Amino acid sequence: MKLKIDWFLAGLGAAIALAWLVPGPGAQGGWLHPEILTKLAVALIFFLHGARLSFAALRAGALNWRLHLLVQLATFVFFPLLGVGLFVLLHGRIADDLNLGLFFLCALPSTISSAIILTGVAKGDVAGAVFNATISNLIGVILTPLWITGEMRTTGHALPLGPVVLDLVRWLVVPLLVGQVMRRWLGGWLSRHRSQTTVVDRGAILLIVYTAFCDSFRNGVWSNYSLGQLGFVLLICLVLFAVVISLLGVVTRALGFARGDRIAAMFCGSKKTLAAGVPMAKLIFEGHPGLGLILLPVMLYHPLQLVICGVLAQRWSREAADEAEQA
């Protein structure tokens, strides 16, 4: 069997390697002017999100309130509470920026495209997945920075919430709304050229990752951290995923969810977005020298969730096919 490498995952590694080799252009004061360029990249990403957002698809899955309530509670209450526990437990045991990055991961909204695609592969409730993944990202623009600000306030390092929210509105919400307005004229074209626009979307994310790690490498942030500590963070990401998806499986069975709803809940409630997480981190932690470390947990969690959910989706798809044959 031929192994197919996801160019985006390879690109993440290449962006980090380039930042290590050539940090100057993407660091603060560099000729790429990252303080301007990355904000434009964030605006482009969310403009494309808005232009692709179908409210007709949202309406199709809007009435299943038990599914929506469970997924949003898992995403914005249970997951962040796990992050609070980890933040306290790991304080002083791992680098502060890595610890903050784990909490940031827990406070992020769900993915959009992969959660929907995997739900479809597994023969789950696609309309419910569309609704929850999309609403999660809209809610996350408000709740993610609130969680981060509240947690940092307990450590005596509170973020100025007003400027953070203003930046999020300016560079995330406004482009999203403009994209939604422009969907009437651009929606069809974007659908026909999805692969090309995906390259633009992901290329903008890689640019943000490159500039984030440029500052970290130039300031020597990584010099005090071993591979063992990074491996420990990867293990924590694996445990977080396993705990959340297992709990969602137990709760959905206890509540008598149908098979399709159960699959949608497990995929939407356990996944965390890299596509929106990287731009949000760039705005929330703007100027933070350890931004590369803060981003690392979500960058580790991203391929981990794709691999595990991909295996689960294939397995559940086969089970659905077997049940259909026996019916």
PDB file of all heavy atoms in Angstrom, residues 143-179:
ATOM      1  N   LEU A 143     -15.764  32.861  23.160  1.00  0.00           N
ATOM      2  CA  LEU A 143     -15.468  32.069  24.357  1.00  0.00           C
ATOM      3  C   LEU A 143     -13.998  31.709  24.504  1.00  0.00           C
ATOM      4  O   LEU A 143     -13.490  31.655  25.635  1.00  0.00           O
ATOM      5  CB  LEU A 143     -16.316  30.791  24.359  1.00  0.00           C
ATOM      6  CG  LEU A 143     -17.813  30.965  24.585  1.00  0.00           C
ATOM      7  CD1 LEU A 143     -18.500  29.615  24.784  1.00  0.00           C
ATOM      8  CD2 LEU A 143     -18.073  31.853  25.810  1.00  0.00           C
ATOM      9  N   THR A 144     -13.301  31.465  23.403  1.00  0.00           N
ATOM     10  CA  THR A 144     -11.884  31.093  23.525  1.00  0.00           C
ATOM     11  C   THR A 144     -11.058  32.195  24.184  1.00  0.00           C
ATOM     12  O   THR A 144     -10.344  31.933  25.165  1.00  0.00           O
ATOM     13  CB  THR A 144     -11.303  30.697  22.152  1.00  0.00           C
ATOM     14  OG1 THR A 144     -11.995  29.549  21.664  1.00  0.00           O
ATOM     15  CG2 THR A 144      -9.817  30.380  22.266  1.00  0.00           C
ATOM     16  N   PRO A 145     -11.114  33.450  23.713  1.00  0.00           N
ATOM     17  CA  PRO A 145     -10.341  34.493  24.407  1.00  0.00           C
ATOM     18  C   PRO A 145     -10.810  34.743  25.834  1.00  0.00           C
ATOM     19  O   PRO A 145     -10.004  35.093  26.706  1.00  0.00           O
ATOM     20  CB  PRO A 145     -10.532  35.736  23.532  1.00  0.00           C
ATOM     21  CG  PRO A 145     -11.704  35.445  22.667  1.00  0.00           C
ATOM     22  CD  PRO A 145     -11.730  33.964  22.477  1.00  0.00           C
ATOM     23  N   LEU A 146     -12.128  34.534  26.101  1.00  0.00           N
ATOM     24  CA  LEU A 146     -12.611  34.704  27.483  1.00  0.00           C
ATOM     25  C   LEU A 146     -12.000  33.660  28.407  1.00  0.00           C
ATOM     26  O   LEU A 146     -11.580  33.966  29.521  1.00  0.00           O
ATOM     27  CB  LEU A 146     -14.141  34.619  27.515  1.00  0.00           C
ATOM     28  CG  LEU A 146     -14.915  35.838  27.005  1.00  0.00           C
ATOM     29  CD1 LEU A 146     -16.409  35.569  27.034  1.00  0.00           C
ATOM     30  CD2 LEU A 146     -14.575  37.069  27.848  1.00  0.00           C
ATOM     31  N   TRP A 147     -11.949  32.402  27.949  1.00  0.00           N
ATOM     32  CA  TRP A 147     -11.315  31.352  28.747  1.00  0.00           C
ATOM     33  C   TRP A 147      -9.830  31.664  28.972  1.00  0.00           C
ATOM     34  O   TRP A 147      -9.325  31.516  30.095  1.00  0.00           O
ATOM     35  CB  TRP A 147     -11.457  29.999  28.038  1.00  0.00           C
ATOM     36  CG  TRP A 147     -12.633  29.179  28.434  1.00  0.00           C
ATOM     37  CD1 TRP A 147     -13.702  28.846  27.658  1.00  0.00           C
ATOM     38  CD2 TRP A 147     -12.881  28.556  29.710  1.00  0.00           C
ATOM     39  NE1 TRP A 147     -14.590  28.067  28.368  1.00  0.00           N
ATOM     40  CE2 TRP A 147     -14.110  27.877  29.627  1.00  0.00           C
ATOM     41  CE3 TRP A 147     -12.168  28.519  30.909  1.00  0.00           C
ATOM     42  CZ2 TRP A 147     -14.645  27.154  30.704  1.00  0.00           C
ATOM     43  CZ3 TRP A 147     -12.697  27.810  31.988  1.00  0.00           C
ATOM     44  CH2 TRP A 147     -13.924  27.138  31.870  1.00  0.00           C
ATOM     45  N   ILE A 148      -9.133  32.072  27.927  1.00  0.00           N
ATOM     46  CA  ILE A 148      -7.701  32.363  28.037  1.00  0.00           C
ATOM     47  C   ILE A 148      -7.460  33.522  28.994  1.00  0.00           C
ATOM     48  O   ILE A 148      -6.591  33.461  29.876  1.00  0.00           O
ATOM     49  CB  ILE A 148      -7.095  32.688  26.658  1.00  0.00           C
ATOM     50  CG1 ILE A 148      -7.209  31.487  25.718  1.00  0.00           C
ATOM     51  CG2 ILE A 148      -5.632  33.113  26.793  1.00  0.00           C
ATOM     52  CD1 ILE A 148      -6.473  30.255  26.181  1.00  0.00           C
ATOM     53  N   THR A 149      -8.239  34.573  28.855  1.00  0.00           N
ATOM     54  CA  THR A 149      -8.081  35.739  29.725  1.00  0.00           C
ATOM     55  C   THR A 149      -8.382  35.383  31.174  1.00  0.00           C
ATOM     56  O   THR A 149      -7.652  35.777  32.094  1.00  0.00           O
ATOM     57  CB  THR A 149      -9.015  36.878  29.265  1.00  0.00           C
ATOM     58  OG1 THR A 149      -8.721  37.204  27.906  1.00  0.00           O
ATOM     59  CG2 THR A 149      -8.831  38.115  30.125  1.00  0.00           C
ATOM     60  N   GLY A 150      -9.458  34.631  31.390  1.00  0.00           N
ATOM     61  CA  GLY A 150      -9.812  34.234  32.757  1.00  0.00           C
ATOM     62  C   GLY A 150      -8.753  33.371  33.399  1.00  0.00           C
ATOM     63  O   GLY A 150      -8.405  33.564  34.578  1.00  0.00           O
ATOM     64  N   GLU A 151      -8.187  32.421  32.643  1.00  0.00           N
ATOM     65  CA  GLU A 151      -7.166  31.543  33.205  1.00  0.00           C
ATOM     66  C   GLU A 151      -5.875  32.300  33.482  1.00  0.00           C
ATOM     67  O   GLU A 151      -5.235  32.096  34.518  1.00  0.00           O
ATOM     68  CB  GLU A 151      -6.895  30.374  32.245  1.00  0.00           C
ATOM     69  CG  GLU A 151      -5.890  29.352  32.751  1.00  0.00           C
ATOM     70  CD  GLU A 151      -6.344  28.666  34.046  1.00  0.00           C
ATOM     71  OE1 GLU A 151      -7.548  28.698  34.363  1.00  0.00           O
ATOM     72  OE2 GLU A 151      -5.471  28.117  34.735  1.00  0.00           O
ATOM     73  N   MET A 152      -5.475  33.203  32.590  1.00  0.00           N
ATOM     74  CA  MET A 152      -4.244  33.957  32.800  1.00  0.00           C
ATOM     75  C   MET A 152      -4.384  34.941  33.959  1.00  0.00           C
ATOM     76  O   MET A 152      -3.414  35.257  34.638  1.00  0.00           O
ATOM     77  CB  MET A 152      -3.846  34.680  31.518  1.00  0.00           C
ATOM     78  CG  MET A 152      -3.390  33.741  30.404  1.00  0.00           C
ATOM     79  SD  MET A 152      -2.685  34.574  28.992  1.00  0.00           S
ATOM     80  CE  MET A 152      -1.100  35.102  29.645  1.00  0.00           C
ATOM     81  N   ARG A 153      -5.621  35.406  34.195  1.00  0.00           N
ATOM     82  CA  ARG A 153      -5.832  36.310  35.332  1.00  0.00           C
ATOM     83  C   ARG A 153      -5.543  35.607  36.652  1.00  0.00           C
ATOM     84  O   ARG A 153      -5.035  36.211  37.590  1.00  0.00           O
ATOM     85  CB  ARG A 153      -7.266  36.844  35.311  1.00  0.00           C
ATOM     86  CG  ARG A 153      -7.534  37.893  36.381  1.00  0.00           C
ATOM     87  CD  ARG A 153      -8.922  38.492  36.256  1.00  0.00           C
ATOM     88  NE  ARG A 153      -9.001  39.381  35.097  1.00  0.00           N
ATOM     89  CZ  ARG A 153      -9.794  39.185  34.061  1.00  0.00           C
ATOM     90  NH1 ARG A 153     -10.584  38.129  34.020  1.00  0.00           N
ATOM     91  NH2 ARG A 153      -9.814  40.047  33.054  1.00  0.00           N
ATOM     92  N   THR A 154      -5.827  34.304  36.727  1.00  0.00           N
ATOM     93  CA  THR A 154      -5.563  33.557  37.960  1.00  0.00           C
ATOM     94  C   THR A 154      -4.074  33.403  38.224  1.00  0.00           C
ATOM     95  O   THR A 154      -3.663  33.152  39.355  1.00  0.00           O
ATOM     96  CB  THR A 154      -6.193  32.147  37.895  1.00  0.00           C
ATOM     97  OG1 THR A 154      -5.540  31.372  36.878  1.00  0.00           O
ATOM     98  CG2 THR A 154      -7.677  32.221  37.618  1.00  0.00           C
ATOM     99  N   THR A 155      -3.254  33.554  37.174  1.00  0.00           N
ATOM    100  CA  THR A 155      -1.799  33.434  37.346  1.00  0.00           C
ATOM    101  C   THR A 155      -1.132  34.793  37.495  1.00  0.00           C
ATOM    102  O   THR A 155       0.088  34.872  37.629  1.00  0.00           O
ATOM    103  CB  THR A 155      -1.169  32.707  36.142  1.00  0.00           C
ATOM    104  OG1 THR A 155      -1.321  33.526  34.967  1.00  0.00           O
ATOM    105  CG2 THR A 155      -1.850  31.364  35.912  1.00  0.00           C
ATOM    106  N   GLY A 156      -1.937  35.854  37.452  1.00  0.00           N
ATOM    107  CA  GLY A 156      -1.368  37.187  37.559  1.00  0.00           C
ATOM    108  C   GLY A 156      -0.800  37.721  36.261  1.00  0.00           C
ATOM    109  O   GLY A 156      -0.053  38.691  36.262  1.00  0.00           O
ATOM    110  N   HIS A 157      -1.153  37.082  35.145  1.00  0.00           N
ATOM    111  CA  HIS A 157      -0.673  37.529  33.829  1.00  0.00           C
ATOM    112  C   HIS A 157      -1.866  37.795  32.910  1.00  0.00           C
ATOM    113  O   HIS A 157      -1.938  37.273  31.806  1.00  0.00           O
ATOM    114  CB  HIS A 157       0.247  36.479  33.200  1.00  0.00           C
ATOM    115  CG  HIS A 157       1.462  36.188  34.008  1.00  0.00           C
ATOM    116  ND1 HIS A 157       1.495  35.233  35.006  1.00  0.00           N
ATOM    117  CD2 HIS A 157       2.698  36.746  33.963  1.00  0.00           C
ATOM    118  CE1 HIS A 157       2.702  35.201  35.545  1.00  0.00           C
ATOM    119  NE2 HIS A 157       3.450  36.105  34.931  1.00  0.00           N
ATOM    120  N   ALA A 158      -2.800  38.599  33.379  1.00  0.00           N
ATOM    121  CA  ALA A 158      -4.044  38.814  32.636  1.00  0.00           C
ATOM    122  C   ALA A 158      -3.786  39.508  31.304  1.00  0.00           C
ATOM    123  O   ALA A 158      -2.962  40.414  31.206  1.00  0.00           O
ATOM    124  CB  ALA A 158      -5.016  39.650  33.474  1.00  0.00           C
ATOM    125  N   LEU A 159      -4.484  39.064  30.287  1.00  0.00           N
ATOM    126  CA  LEU A 159      -4.448  39.726  28.986  1.00  0.00           C
ATOM    127  C   LEU A 159      -5.408  40.909  29.006  1.00  0.00           C
ATOM    128  O   LEU A 159      -6.447  40.852  29.664  1.00  0.00           O
ATOM    129  CB  LEU A 159      -4.888  38.748  27.892  1.00  0.00           C
ATOM    130  CG  LEU A 159      -3.926  37.634  27.498  1.00  0.00           C
ATOM    131  CD1 LEU A 159      -4.634  36.668  26.561  1.00  0.00           C
ATOM    132  CD2 LEU A 159      -2.688  38.187  26.838  1.00  0.00           C
ATOM    133  N   PRO A 160      -5.096  41.987  28.293  1.00  0.00           N
ATOM    134  CA  PRO A 160      -6.048  43.087  28.164  1.00  0.00           C
ATOM    135  C   PRO A 160      -7.192  42.663  27.240  1.00  0.00           C
ATOM    136  O   PRO A 160      -7.033  42.635  26.019  1.00  0.00           O
ATOM    137  CB  PRO A 160      -5.194  44.203  27.542  1.00  0.00           C
ATOM    138  CG  PRO A 160      -4.087  43.501  26.837  1.00  0.00           C
ATOM    139  CD  PRO A 160      -3.826  42.233  27.605  1.00  0.00           C
ATOM    140  N   LEU A 161      -8.327  42.310  27.826  1.00  0.00           N
ATOM    141  CA  LEU A 161      -9.417  41.701  27.064  1.00  0.00           C
ATOM    142  C   LEU A 161      -9.951  42.615  25.975  1.00  0.00           C
ATOM    143  O   LEU A 161     -10.233  42.176  24.862  1.00  0.00           O
ATOM    144  CB  LEU A 161     -10.549  41.299  28.015  1.00  0.00           C
ATOM    145  CG  LEU A 161     -11.740  40.565  27.374  1.00  0.00           C
ATOM    146  CD1 LEU A 161     -11.288  39.284  26.696  1.00  0.00           C
ATOM    147  CD2 LEU A 161     -12.808  40.278  28.420  1.00  0.00           C
ATOM    148  N   GLY A 162     -10.092  43.913  26.268  1.00  0.00           N
ATOM    149  CA  GLY A 162     -10.651  44.840  25.297  1.00  0.00           C
ATOM    150  C   GLY A 162      -9.900  44.849  23.974  1.00  0.00           C
ATOM    151  O   GLY A 162     -10.493  44.624  22.911  1.00  0.00           O
ATOM    152  N   PRO A 163      -8.582  45.108  23.987  1.00  0.00           N
ATOM    153  CA  PRO A 163      -7.827  45.103  22.721  1.00  0.00           C
ATOM    154  C   PRO A 163      -7.848  43.752  22.015  1.00  0.00           C
ATOM    155  O   PRO A 163      -7.866  43.696  20.786  1.00  0.00           O
ATOM    156  CB  PRO A 163      -6.395  45.462  23.180  1.00  0.00           C
ATOM    157  CG  PRO A 163      -6.581  46.214  24.453  1.00  0.00           C
ATOM    158  CD  PRO A 163      -7.772  45.581  25.111  1.00  0.00           C
ATOM    159  N   VAL A 164      -7.844  42.647  22.793  1.00  0.00           N
ATOM    160  CA  VAL A 164      -7.879  41.311  22.185  1.00  0.00           C
ATOM    161  C   VAL A 164      -9.192  41.109  21.433  1.00  0.00           C
ATOM    162  O   VAL A 164      -9.203  40.662  20.276  1.00  0.00           O
ATOM    163  CB  VAL A 164      -7.701  40.212  23.259  1.00  0.00           C
ATOM    164  CG1 VAL A 164      -8.026  38.836  22.679  1.00  0.00           C
ATOM    165  CG2 VAL A 164      -6.274  40.215  23.796  1.00  0.00           C
ATOM    166  N   VAL A 165     -10.312  41.443  22.082  1.00  0.00           N
ATOM    167  CA  VAL A 165     -11.623  41.282  21.440  1.00  0.00           C
ATOM    168  C   VAL A 165     -11.736  42.190  20.224  1.00  0.00           C
ATOM    169  O   VAL A 165     -12.260  41.785  19.171  1.00  0.00           O
ATOM    170  CB  VAL A 165     -12.756  41.574  22.453  1.00  0.00           C
ATOM    171  CG1 VAL A 165     -14.098  41.618  21.747  1.00  0.00           C
ATOM    172  CG2 VAL A 165     -12.771  40.507  23.548  1.00  0.00           C
ATOM    173  N   LEU A 166     -11.235  43.427  20.341  1.00  0.00           N
ATOM    174  CA  LEU A 166     -11.283  44.360  19.216  1.00  0.00           C
ATOM    175  C   LEU A 166     -10.506  43.810  18.024  1.00  0.00           C
ATOM    176  O   LEU A 166     -10.954  43.881  16.873  1.00  0.00           O
ATOM    177  CB  LEU A 166     -10.707  45.711  19.632  1.00  0.00           C
ATOM    178  CG  LEU A 166     -10.791  46.839  18.588  1.00  0.00           C
ATOM    179  CD1 LEU A 166     -12.240  47.137  18.239  1.00  0.00           C
ATOM    180  CD2 LEU A 166     -10.099  48.092  19.113  1.00  0.00           C
ATOM    181  N   ASP A 167      -9.321  43.234  18.291  1.00  0.00           N
ATOM    182  CA  ASP A 167      -8.527  42.630  17.222  1.00  0.00           C
ATOM    183  C   ASP A 167      -9.248  41.440  16.595  1.00  0.00           C
ATOM    184  O   ASP A 167      -9.226  41.261  15.374  1.00  0.00           O
ATOM    185  CB  ASP A 167      -7.170  42.175  17.777  1.00  0.00           C
ATOM    186  CG  ASP A 167      -6.026  42.986  17.188  1.00  0.00           C
ATOM    187  OD1 ASP A 167      -6.307  44.019  16.554  1.00  0.00           O
ATOM    188  OD2 ASP A 167      -4.866  42.597  17.358  1.00  0.00           O
ATOM    189  N   LEU A 168      -9.879  40.610  17.441  1.00  0.00           N
ATOM    190  CA  LEU A 168     -10.618  39.451  16.929  1.00  0.00           C
ATOM    191  C   LEU A 168     -11.791  39.888  16.060  1.00  0.00           C
ATOM    192  O   LEU A 168     -12.060  39.287  15.017  1.00  0.00           O
ATOM    193  CB  LEU A 168     -11.106  38.584  18.093  1.00  0.00           C
ATOM    194  CG  LEU A 168     -10.034  37.801  18.855  1.00  0.00           C
ATOM    195  CD1 LEU A 168     -10.619  37.211  20.127  1.00  0.00           C
ATOM    196  CD2 LEU A 168      -9.462  36.692  17.990  1.00  0.00           C
ATOM    197  N   VAL A 169     -12.487  40.932  16.486  1.00  0.00           N
ATOM    198  CA  VAL A 169     -13.612  41.435  15.697  1.00  0.00           C
ATOM    199  C   VAL A 169     -13.113  41.989  14.366  1.00  0.00           C
ATOM    200  O   VAL A 169     -13.663  41.693  13.297  1.00  0.00           O
ATOM    201  CB  VAL A 169     -14.383  42.525  16.479  1.00  0.00           C
ATOM    202  CG1 VAL A 169     -15.384  43.233  15.566  1.00  0.00           C
ATOM    203  CG2 VAL A 169     -15.104  41.908  17.664  1.00  0.00           C
ATOM    204  N   ARG A 170     -12.037  42.771  14.426  1.00  0.00           N
ATOM    205  CA  ARG A 170     -11.524  43.431  13.224  1.00  0.00           C
ATOM    206  C   ARG A 170     -10.993  42.440  12.189  1.00  0.00           C
ATOM    207  O   ARG A 170     -11.263  42.555  11.001  1.00  0.00           O
ATOM    208  CB  ARG A 170     -10.414  44.406  13.629  1.00  0.00           C
ATOM    209  CG  ARG A 170      -9.841  45.211  12.461  1.00  0.00           C
ATOM    210  CD  ARG A 170      -8.641  46.032  12.918  1.00  0.00           C
ATOM    211  NE  ARG A 170      -9.010  47.005  13.940  1.00  0.00           N
ATOM    212  CZ  ARG A 170      -8.366  47.164  15.090  1.00  0.00           C
ATOM    213  NH1 ARG A 170      -7.333  46.390  15.398  1.00  0.00           N
ATOM    214  NH2 ARG A 170      -8.751  48.087  15.943  1.00  0.00           N
ATOM    215  N   TRP A 171     -10.251  41.434  12.668  1.00  0.00           N
ATOM    216  CA  TRP A 171      -9.536  40.557  11.734  1.00  0.00           C
ATOM    217  C   TRP A 171     -10.192  39.192  11.546  1.00  0.00           C
ATOM    218  O   TRP A 171      -9.824  38.468  10.620  1.00  0.00           O
ATOM    219  CB  TRP A 171      -8.088  40.375  12.189  1.00  0.00           C
ATOM    220  CG  TRP A 171      -7.326  41.662  12.213  1.00  0.00           C
ATOM    221  CD1 TRP A 171      -6.961  42.364  13.325  1.00  0.00           C
ATOM    222  CD2 TRP A 171      -6.854  42.417  11.095  1.00  0.00           C
ATOM    223  NE1 TRP A 171      -6.300  43.510  12.962  1.00  0.00           N
ATOM    224  CE2 TRP A 171      -6.217  43.566  11.596  1.00  0.00           C
ATOM    225  CE3 TRP A 171      -6.918  42.225   9.712  1.00  0.00           C
ATOM    226  CZ2 TRP A 171      -5.635  44.521  10.770  1.00  0.00           C
ATOM    227  CZ3 TRP A 171      -6.340  43.176   8.884  1.00  0.00           C
ATOM    228  CH2 TRP A 171      -5.708  44.307   9.405  1.00  0.00           C
ATOM    229  N   LEU A 172     -11.148  38.835  12.420  1.00  0.00           N
ATOM    230  CA  LEU A 172     -11.837  37.552  12.281  1.00  0.00           C
ATOM    231  C   LEU A 172     -13.310  37.744  11.928  1.00  0.00           C
ATOM    232  O   LEU A 172     -13.775  37.241  10.898  1.00  0.00           O
ATOM    233  CB  LEU A 172     -11.743  36.721  13.571  1.00  0.00           C
ATOM    234  CG  LEU A 172     -10.546  35.792  13.746  1.00  0.00           C
ATOM    235  CD1 LEU A 172      -9.273  36.605  13.958  1.00  0.00           C
ATOM    236  CD2 LEU A 172     -10.750  34.884  14.959  1.00  0.00           C
ATOM    237  N   VAL A 173     -14.040  38.466  12.780  1.00  0.00           N
ATOM    238  CA  VAL A 173     -15.489  38.563  12.624  1.00  0.00           C
ATOM    239  C   VAL A 173     -15.868  39.357  11.377  1.00  0.00           C
ATOM    240  O   VAL A 173     -16.719  38.922  10.580  1.00  0.00           O
ATOM    241  CB  VAL A 173     -16.128  39.188  13.883  1.00  0.00           C
ATOM    242  CG1 VAL A 173     -17.634  39.340  13.682  1.00  0.00           C
ATOM    243  CG2 VAL A 173     -15.849  38.328  15.109  1.00  0.00           C
ATOM    244  N   VAL A 174     -15.255  40.528  11.193  1.00  0.00           N
ATOM    245  CA  VAL A 174     -15.600  41.356  10.037  1.00  0.00           C
ATOM    246  C   VAL A 174     -15.300  40.639   8.717  1.00  0.00           C
ATOM    247  O   VAL A 174     -16.169  40.584   7.828  1.00  0.00           O
ATOM    248  CB  VAL A 174     -14.886  42.725  10.107  1.00  0.00           C
ATOM    249  CG1 VAL A 174     -15.072  43.499   8.795  1.00  0.00           C
ATOM    250  CG2 VAL A 174     -15.423  43.542  11.274  1.00  0.00           C
ATOM    251  N   PRO A 175     -14.098  40.043   8.529  1.00  0.00           N
ATOM    252  CA  PRO A 175     -13.870  39.287   7.284  1.00  0.00           C
ATOM    253  C   PRO A 175     -14.845  38.122   7.107  1.00  0.00           C
ATOM    254  O   PRO A 175     -15.271  37.826   5.985  1.00  0.00           O
ATOM    255  CB  PRO A 175     -12.424  38.786   7.431  1.00  0.00           C
ATOM    256  CG  PRO A 175     -11.781  39.737   8.357  1.00  0.00           C
ATOM    257  CD  PRO A 175     -12.860  40.142   9.322  1.00  0.00           C
ATOM    258  N   LEU A 176     -15.206  37.460   8.228  1.00  0.00           N
ATOM    259  CA  LEU A 176     -16.173  36.364   8.154  1.00  0.00           C
ATOM    260  C   LEU A 176     -17.518  36.863   7.632  1.00  0.00           C
ATOM    261  O   LEU A 176     -18.136  36.243   6.756  1.00  0.00           O
ATOM    262  CB  LEU A 176     -16.337  35.731   9.540  1.00  0.00           C
ATOM    263  CG  LEU A 176     -17.191  34.472   9.632  1.00  0.00           C
ATOM    264  CD1 LEU A 176     -16.405  33.267   9.136  1.00  0.00           C
ATOM    265  CD2 LEU A 176     -17.625  34.231  11.087  1.00  0.00           C
ATOM    266  N   LEU A 177     -17.982  37.997   8.155  1.00  0.00           N
ATOM    267  CA  LEU A 177     -19.263  38.560   7.727  1.00  0.00           C
ATOM    268  C   LEU A 177     -19.203  39.051   6.281  1.00  0.00           C
ATOM    269  O   LEU A 177     -20.151  38.864   5.517  1.00  0.00           O
ATOM    270  CB  LEU A 177     -19.663  39.710   8.660  1.00  0.00           C
ATOM    271  CG  LEU A 177     -19.986  39.329  10.108  1.00  0.00           C
ATOM    272  CD1 LEU A 177     -20.269  40.582  10.936  1.00  0.00           C
ATOM    273  CD2 LEU A 177     -21.160  38.368  10.170  1.00  0.00           C
ATOM    274  N   VAL A 178     -18.082  39.664   5.918  1.00  0.00           N
ATOM    275  CA  VAL A 178     -17.924  40.114   4.532  1.00  0.00           C
ATOM    276  C   VAL A 178     -17.950  38.914   3.581  1.00  0.00           C
ATOM    277  O   VAL A 178     -18.589  38.948   2.518  1.00  0.00           O
ATOM    278  CB  VAL A 178     -16.617  40.915   4.362  1.00  0.00           C
ATOM    279  CG1 VAL A 178     -16.348  41.196   2.885  1.00  0.00           C
ATOM    280  CG2 VAL A 178     -16.678  42.218   5.140  1.00  0.00           C
ATOM    281  N   GLY A 179     -17.270  37.839   3.979  1.00  0.00           N
ATOM    282  CA  GLY A 179     -17.274  36.622   3.176  1.00  0.00           C
ATOM    283  C   GLY A 179     -18.672  36.056   3.031  1.00  0.00           C
ATOM    284  O   GLY A 179     -19.061  35.605   1.942  1.00  0.00           O
TER     285      GLY A 179
END
